[in-house]
Amino acid sequence: MSLLGKLAEVKKPVNRLFNGGFSEMGAISRKPDTRTSEEITQTIDYYAEKIPEIKQFASEIKKLNPKHMGTIADTLELSTHSEMLPTNINMSKLNSKGVSYRQAVVEDMIEASKTNPEAMELADAIINNTDSITAKYMLSSMTGGIMKDKGLAKQMQETAKVIPDIAKETLGGGYLMDYSKQENMLNWLKVMINPQTKPDKITSLFKDVVSFTEKRPEQFCIDVNKFLTSNTPKEKIQENLKVLPDVLKMLGDKIKDFDIVDFVTKNTNLY
């Protein structure tokens, strides 16, 4: 191989999100990033050369935690991927501050990697569990400073753990030619990544409450916000859920007025 050929080969990115063909939509599950630090560095270098506004950040990105470098490499790959659909999101567009959405995301990620790594866990979970349109929608929506908010670090860390559940809850069904599903998912994130939300309730919502309702024949309406802001210890919630089948059996026709969140968070008769 000629020297020119070797140089061209080195510049190729080691991508992991898109390998040609049709891209899945909705809730998906990508394999973990297995690239070496050298492969990720090579990928960063490639996109820094290809995307003018990113070049200035290349050296700084390459000093970050390798896992976070991989998340940024994925973000750059996402930002150059185009879906042949009306809802394609172009991250090269300028935001209200006059910078591209991908630059805004990358700048926030660089700072988050250094001071708020929990935000990088959240971004990584979004990329690995949602389709490209949703991932770009979420990341672009998070450029208002949320990723740098250390006061919400615990909520972000816990939300990252349930992104697969939220994706399944919001992204199912066929293509709607709009962003309604993405907006629905974003609303879930806003409720969870909130100062009023108790971090320990985030995983409990799906592991305890939703898991219980999915196994029951009854239809329940879950007030997510009321549950997430409850001060009731998770252990008490689990105790209440253990006796709930017997309570539901006794209710009979009154089940239609039953508030499952009130019961699991306020049933003091068990204490």
Side-chain angles (χ1 to χ4, degrees):
M1 181 182 293
S2 68
L3 177 60
L4 182 61
K6 289 181 179 179
L7 289 174
E9 183 178 18
V10 169
K11 291 183 178 179
K12 290 180 181 178
V14 183
N15 291 327
R16 75 179 192 95
L17 304 183
F18 309 105
N19 296 304
F22 180 75
S23 296
E24 288 184 79
M25 298 191 71
I28 63 176
S29 180
R30 301 188 193 278
K31 295 179 180 179
D33 191 349
T34 58
R35 291 173 293 187
T36 65
S37 295
E38 291 75 17
E39 289 173 329
I40 295 173
T41 297
Q42 179 177 316
T43 305
I44 296 295
D45 284 336
Y46 172 84
Y47 284 113
E49 287 297 322
K50 186 174 182 180
I51 307 170
E53 71 266 31
I54 298 300
K55 191 170 186 177
Q56 60 184 309
F57 304 109
S59 60
E60 194 172 5
I61 293 170
K62 289 185 285 185
K63 295 176 184 176
L64 302 177
N65 177 313
K67 180 174 174 58
H68 299 166
M69 281 177 57
T71 302
I72 292 176
D74 288 342
T75 300
L76 294 174
E77 182 185 352
L78 268 171
S79 78
T80 59
H81 179 75
S82 180
E83 298 84 5
M84 302 301 290
L85 294 168
T87 49
N88 174 58
I89 294 175
N90 182 358
M91 292 183 73
S92 68
K93 285 187 175 181
L94 303 185
N95 63 16
S96 59
K97 295 182 179 179
V99 300
S100 70
Y101 281 98
R102 66 180 157 208
Q103 177 179 334
V105 172
V106 168
E107 284 193 77
D108 283 359
M109 284 183 168
I110 291 171
E111 185 169 339
S113 176
K114 298 173 183 177
T115 65
N116 195 27
E118 291 83 359
M120 295 301 287
E121 292 179 35
L122 177 63
D124 188 62
I126 289 170
I127 291 170
N128 281 323
N129 292 281
T130 67
D131 62 81
S132 57
I133 292 175
T134 302
K136 288 192 281 186
Y137 188 96
M138 296 300 144
L139 294 176
S140 297
S141 299
M142 290 164 61
T143 56
I146 187 71
M147 295 188 73
K148 298 179 286 186
D149 191 338
K150 292 181 283 187
L152 295 172
K154 193 62 179 175
Q155 285 88 342
M156 289 188 225
Q157 185 177 50
E158 295 304 303
T159 301
K161 298 175 183 177
V162 298
I163 287 296
D165 300 288
I166 299 173
K168 290 175 184 176
E169 186 74 27
T170 60
L171 302 179
Y175 178 57
L176 301 180
M177 298 184 68
D178 61 24
Y179 300 112
S180 56
K181 292 181 181 181
Q182 287 72 27
E183 191 63 26
N184 190 12
M185 183 171 183
L186 183 61
N187 287 336
W188 274 78
L189 297 190
K190 287 178 179 177
V191 170
M192 293 185 165
I193 306 170
N194 186 296
Q196 306 304 315
T197 292
K198 305 301 186 292
D200 69 315
K201 296 301 186 303
I202 293 174
T203 52
S204 179
L205 174 65
F206 290 98
K207 182 180 178 182
D208 299 321
V209 181
V210 173
S211 177
F212 175 87
T213 61
E214 288 178 341
K215 297 171 185 174
R216 298 291 306 183
E218 301 91 349
Q219 294 295 314
F220 297 98
C221 180
I222 301 173
D223 188 328
V224 173
N225 188 61
K226 184 163 64 175
F227 181 82
L228 292 176
T229 56
S230 165
N231 288 314
T232 308
K234 186 167 59 176
E235 293 73 21
K236 291 298 181 184
I237 289 171
Q238 291 169 342
E239 285 180 29
N240 289 345
L241 284 168
K242 286 180 182 178
V243 302
L244 185 49
D246 291 332
V247 172
L248 294 173
K249 188 182 296 184
M250 290 187 294
L251 283 174
D253 293 338
K254 295 180 181 178
I255 188 68
K256 64 180 183 299
D257 300 318
F258 182 74
D259 188 322
I260 188 171
V261 173
D262 271 347
F263 181 84
V264 298
T265 61
K266 299 179 182 178
N267 179 29
T268 57
N269 292 332
L270 299 176
Y271 306 162

